[in-house]
Amino acid sequence: MGQDTRFSRAQRDLLDLMDTPVWAPRSADEPPVGAVPGGEGVPPSRRAGRPPPQVLAGRPPAQDDSRAATSMPPPAAAPPELEALCSKVAACTACALHSGRRQTVFGVGNPRADWMFVGEGPGEEEDRRGEPFVGRAGKLLDAMLRAMNLDRTTVYIANIVKCRPPNNRNPGLDEAAACIPYLKRQIELIAPRLIVALGAVAAQRLLETDRPVGAMRGKLHHAAHLEPPVLVTYHPAYLLRSPGQKGKAWEDLQLAMREMDALLEEQSAA
Ligand code: URA
Ligand code: SF4
């Protein structure tokens, strides 16, 4: 069986993980997605050479002005505020979920990220490690990020609720309502250009609606109460159960990359 030599081993692993034939390059001349970080012809949203990694779960870096590299404006707020928020969350008992947690799961990534990915809440593994998306669904999210030439050090990843719901049930409306002010503050402090809502809970709570994911994906949402636009796609845990939907998720991520390119171009033209 011939192997496709356009792809490195790592890329083939990733394509297998995503199980999605559409992750091939659009033309033979074009490098595979993620093949040439920072290379010629790679649109700005996927260029490497951005921010130094800060993978601390909610603990922001010392003085790095990671946006300077791409002539972005300085961050909207100083990292110490994010650190203070993280400490506040760690002590929070505002909803019933506090009693079942091992620890809070604040968020991870670059506090000056252009991209923010939002899930619903920590699961077992996340509760154990204090970091979002580190279980099976997290591996798929990592693959999705890599296919976009991103990773968890360049984006920011957070959840609607910061404490694990028992038995991995969805967070209740009251729990989400108690916790979402923290996420909104994270959004203000990090000031991402675009939010990707992963799954129904994230999308519905962020956009204050009860519409299903299928009805919300495929376009940018501008919510009056949120500065960055929101794009909705399927939750990676759902994609693991329904691999046939991965193609749609990839379409959503491609749309997200186009939107990010447009936002970055708008800014560099300004
Ligand atoms: N699922 C989520 O929504 N968030 C996590 O952090 C892990 C799994
Ligand atoms: Fe506080 Fe959020 Fe945890 Fe509820 S889920 S206790 S609101 S941090």
Side-chain angles (χ1 to χ4, degrees):
M1 208 174 61
Q3 289 214 311
D4 192 335
T5 50
R6 288 172 306 172
F7 296 110
S8 69
R9 171 83 197 272
Q11 282 164 340
R12 278 198 309 270
D13 290 349
L14 150 65
L15 293 165
D16 287 349
L17 196 55
M18 282 304 285
D19 194 28
T20 304
V22 293
W23 298 65
R26 276 165 286 180
S27 80
D29 297 332
E30 195 176 349
V33 173
V36 191
E40 290 279 313
V42 177
S45 66
R46 275 151 285 163
R47 254 169 232 157
R50 300 228 276 209
Q54 275 306 329
V55 196
L56 299 175
R59 245 154 304 148
Q63 304 302 318
D64 93 276
D65 193 357
S66 44
R67 280 190 170 165
T70 44
S71 68
M72 296 180 208
E81 290 179 72
L82 201 59
E83 193 158 11
L85 186 66
C86 182
S87 306
K88 199 169 159 190
V89 165
C92 178
T93 57
C95 86
L97 295 182
H98 83 272
S99 61
R101 74 183 176 217
R102 278 199 187 85
Q103 58 187 318
T104 52
V105 178
F106 182 68
V108 71
N110 185 335
R112 295 171 174 84
D114 288 336
W115 295 90
M116 186 184 276
F117 289 77
V118 177
E120 71 185 53
E124 158 96 49
E125 190 66 16
E126 290 77 22
D127 176 65
R128 205 192 321 272
R129 294 184 31 197
E131 186 176 331
F133 284 100
V134 288
R136 271 188 79 222
K139 292 219 163 47
L140 181 53
L141 178 59
D142 284 338
M144 291 157 78
L145 293 174
R146 279 168 54 207
M148 299 168 82
N149 211 13
L150 299 168
D151 62 34
R152 62 173 60 220
T153 70
T154 49
V155 306
Y156 197 90
I157 306 174
N159 281 310
I160 298 288
V161 294
K162 313 302 191 202
C163 302
R164 181 194 179 196
N167 307 314
N168 299 331
R169 66 162 168 77
N170 286 350
L173 287 179
D174 52 340
E175 294 155 351
C179 209
I180 209 162
Y182 295 130
L183 178 63
K184 288 189 176 158
R185 188 69 186 132
Q186 281 173 300
I187 294 170
E188 279 171 16
L189 291 170
I190 294 161
R193 290 171 199 275
L194 193 62
I195 298 175
V196 179
L198 300 166
V201 170
Q204 292 173 348
R205 299 288 69 80
L206 275 170
L207 296 173
E208 301 179 355
T209 175
D210 54 12
R211 298 170 69 208
V213 171
M216 287 188 274
R217 54 178 292 273
K219 64 179 250 229
L220 272 195
H221 298 262
H222 298 272
H225 58 280
L226 288 176
E227 181 64 31
V230 178
L231 226 136
V232 175
T233 192
Y234 295 106
H235 193 288
Y238 169 76
L239 295 175
L240 289 172
R241 294 192 302 274
S242 309
Q245 303 288 58
K246 285 177 179 173
K248 286 190 194 160
W250 178 231
E251 282 170 23
D252 296 335
L253 298 181
Q254 285 176 304
L255 171 62
M257 289 187 283
R258 287 196 299 274
E259 294 293 349
M260 180 63 81
D261 287 343
L263 290 167
L264 292 172
E265 263 154 37
E266 243 169 56
Q267 192 224 299
S268 62

